[in-house]
Amino acid sequence: MKIFSYMEKYDYEQLVFCQDEVSGLKAIIAIHDTTLGPALGGTRMWTYESEEAAIEDALRLARGMTYKNAAAGLNLGGGKTVIIGDPRKDKNEEMFRAFGRYIQGLNGRYITAEDVGTTVADMDLIHEETDYVTGISPAFGSSGNPSPVTAYGVYRGMKAAAKEAFGTDSLEGKTIAVQGVGNVAYNMCKHLHEEGANLIVTDIHKESVDRAVNDFGAKAVDPSEIYSVDCDIFAPCALGAIINDETISQIKAKVIAGAANNQLKETRHGDAIHEMGIVYAPDYVINAGGVINVADELYGYNSERAMKKVEQVYNNVERVIEIAKRDNVPTYVAADRMAEERIEKMRRSRSQFLQNGQHILSRR
Ligand SMILES: NC(=O)C1=CN([C@@H]2O[C@H](COP(=O)(O)OP(=O)(O)OC[C@H]3O[C@@H](n4cnc5c(N)ncnc54)[C@H](O)[C@@H]3O)[C@@H](O)[C@H]2O)C=CC1
Ligand SMILES: CC(C)CC(=O)C(=O)O
């Protein structure tokens, strides 16, 4: 991968490599765009096949956060971190504290939170070294684990997409195929089960599948079968790039609505599902609940205020569908237009007026 060419192509601001021999930390912080404010995005810990794969993931996820935060109406830019390692084996206190010092060194340009492979306890360790971290324990007056809130937002957004496809937003009796029943999807399944949906689930970890089977009467299938099962809605809630040349022809669902980031392998896959008549709720619009919730910490966390904003995920998905119909484009294009329009307006207005020197972090 030619890093500078890639950064230039998508206009990235900064890429930071962090190494600490004592703890084994190998982290990559990618900051995509800070037009709207400091870059906020989670830290993913994962066993990458190569360093290139880790860099690419950090870059793609950071750009996704720029669009997510803009589309959600937050005054925040986009960034993300990946830590190379196995979250089940390679974590230690020194690692997250060393990482916290790297974040502190960025002096507020980047604020972190949880993502796949990291927990509230990890954020608390980072917080020992820096204030530029969210999703820390409620004992600190913070919002804690964002996953249940992300899940609620996905559930709301799924209803909005279902309304478009089926003429009603009720999910009662609908069959929903869920890929990956981790932190977000387990909580999402709870809402779906309460509403009377039928669940088909898969995961690479058997205990996660068993939990969903026991708690929600879900039917379990092998990971390779999830794309082709008979269902109304497909909810990708594991990792990215799962809408691709191999999977598209297998999908029977009328709606794709799930928590995973970067679901489309390439934009042409968004065009393909649009042509198949599938209603696609763009990933970064539907999964914004978590970031909306942790971002509220920057104003002094108020759960009621945050949840009111999370409810809006329904309206945001509706709005994207409206733009898609108006402009006769796929929903992923409509979502990009919505986000880019907001960033562009702010960029132009910033160049016209003097800033008052205050930004969101000055309230902390
Ligand atoms: N946690 C949050 O608040 C947010 C999460 N997301 C995204 O949602 C997705 C899920 O996040 P979490 O639930 O926090 O992560 P998680 O790690 O708790 O859950 C992911 C699950 O997917 C499973 N999985 C991985 N590869 C799989 C495969 N090939 N087939 C089936 N299952 C597989 C894992 O075993 C795990 O149980 C990720 O893409 C994340 O970036 C997006 C916004 C916020
Ligand atoms: C987990 C969230 C709090 C932030 C994030 O990284 C995301 O929305 O993907």
Side-chain angles (χ1 to χ4, degrees):
M1 179 191 205
K2 292 218 163 99
I3 294 180
F4 275 112
S5 317
Y6 189 90
M7 288 179 75
E8 212 177 317
K9 182 170 172 197
Y10 296 110
D11 209 9
Y12 285 86
E13 293 180 9
Q14 195 173 4
L15 193 59
V16 184
F17 290 84
C18 317
Q19 188 280 138
D20 177 57
E21 202 194 336
V22 175
S23 63
L25 174 75
K26 284 188 177 54
I28 300 154
I29 304 171
I31 297 179
H32 176 245
D33 186 290
T34 57
T35 306
L36 293 179
L40 173 54
T43 294
R44 175 172 293 190
M45 186 165 181
W46 194 251
T47 47
Y48 289 94
E49 276 171 19
S50 64
E51 288 178 7
E52 286 70 27
I55 295 167
E56 199 176 332
D57 206 28
L59 287 166
R60 269 171 59 91
L61 289 164
R63 183 161 171 259
M65 289 308 303
T66 297
Y67 281 80
K68 186 181 306 193
N69 293 337
L74 300 172
N75 289 314
L76 290 162
K80 199 95 171 189
T81 299
V82 305
I83 296 180
I84 301 174
D86 185 339
R88 292 182 177 224
K89 290 195 219 131
D90 298 333
K91 285 183 183 178
N92 57 64
E93 177 180 355
E94 303 79 60
M95 172 181 281
F96 287 99
R97 293 192 63 159
F99 177 49
R101 291 191 292 277
Y102 275 103
I103 295 176
Q104 181 63 23
L106 290 169
N107 201 27
R109 274 178 59 65
Y110 170 67
I111 306 165
T112 201
E114 293 86 347
D115 190 42
V116 174
T118 58
T119 63
V120 175
D122 302 332
M123 296 308 123
D124 286 349
L125 290 173
I126 294 171
H127 186 224
E128 292 291 326
E129 305 285 345
T130 183
D131 272 345
Y132 302 124
V133 51
T134 55
I136 47 182
S137 291
F140 295 108
S142 301
S143 65
N145 180 6
S147 303
V149 186
T150 301
Y152 183 64
V154 174
Y155 162 68
R156 296 284 303 155
M158 187 184 284
K159 285 173 81 67
K163 189 164 159 220
E164 176 64 17
F166 308 118
T168 165
D169 73 3
S170 169
L171 299 174
E172 190 180 357
K174 292 280 180 289
T175 299
I176 301 165
V178 182
Q179 181 182 45
V181 256
N183 291 320
V184 175
Y186 177 82
N187 288 287
M188 180 191 79
C189 286
K190 203 184 278 177
H191 294 295
L192 298 174
H193 178 63
E194 277 165 15
E195 190 163 331
N198 308 309
L199 298 169
I200 303 175
V201 300
T202 195
D203 201 288
I204 50 173
H205 292 300
K206 187 176 175 308
E207 64 274 25
S208 305
V209 171
D210 291 347
R211 191 167 66 142
V213 170
N214 292 335
D215 295 358
F216 311 126
K219 180 181 165 204
V221 296
D222 277 347
S224 61
E225 291 169 16
I226 196 72
Y227 302 104
S228 59
V229 293
D230 265 322
C231 64
D232 301 296
I233 300 172
F234 172 47
C237 298
L239 298 182
I242 42 72
I243 301 174
N244 58 45
D245 290 336
E246 284 76 48
T247 60
I248 282 180
S249 57
Q250 301 177 48
I251 296 172
K252 301 203 176 79
K254 296 265 177 302
V255 171
I256 300 178
N261 280 310
N262 294 339
Q263 293 172 23
L264 303 174
K265 185 162 186 199
E266 293 170 35
T267 52
R268 67 187 173 86
H269 298 118
D271 301 331
I273 53 175
H274 175 68
E275 276 153 28
M276 286 160 74
I278 293 174
V279 178
Y280 170 58
D283 43 18
Y284 65 75
V285 177
I286 195 171
N287 73 13
V291 78
I292 293 170
N293 195 48
V294 300
D296 198 80
E297 287 182 27
L298 304 170
Y299 299 89
Y301 184 60
N302 178 311
S303 164
E304 211 177 304
R305 179 176 61 205
M307 289 313 286
K308 262 194 198 148
K309 287 190 201 154
V310 175
E311 288 285 342
Q312 292 300 312
V313 171
Y314 186 108
N315 309 64
N316 291 348
V317 171
E318 268 189 329
R319 175 86 188 112
V320 165
I321 292 170
E322 253 170 52
I323 297 172
K325 284 196 203 160
R326 184 196 68 195
D327 297 354
N328 195 22
V329 292
T331 49
Y332 84 89
V333 176
D336 282 3
R337 283 186 187 171
M338 194 167 94
E340 281 163 6
E341 200 175 302
R342 181 152 183 263
I343 295 168
E344 201 37 49
K345 274 189 189 154
M346 193 57 70
R347 204 191 308 272
R348 283 210 309 270
S349 110
R350 285 233 171 116
S351 68
Q352 285 163 2
F353 300 99
L354 283 177
Q355 291 179 48
N356 62 9
Q358 295 259 329
H359 65 64
I360 194 170
L361 291 174
S362 57
R363 300 190 185 93
R364 281 202 116 182

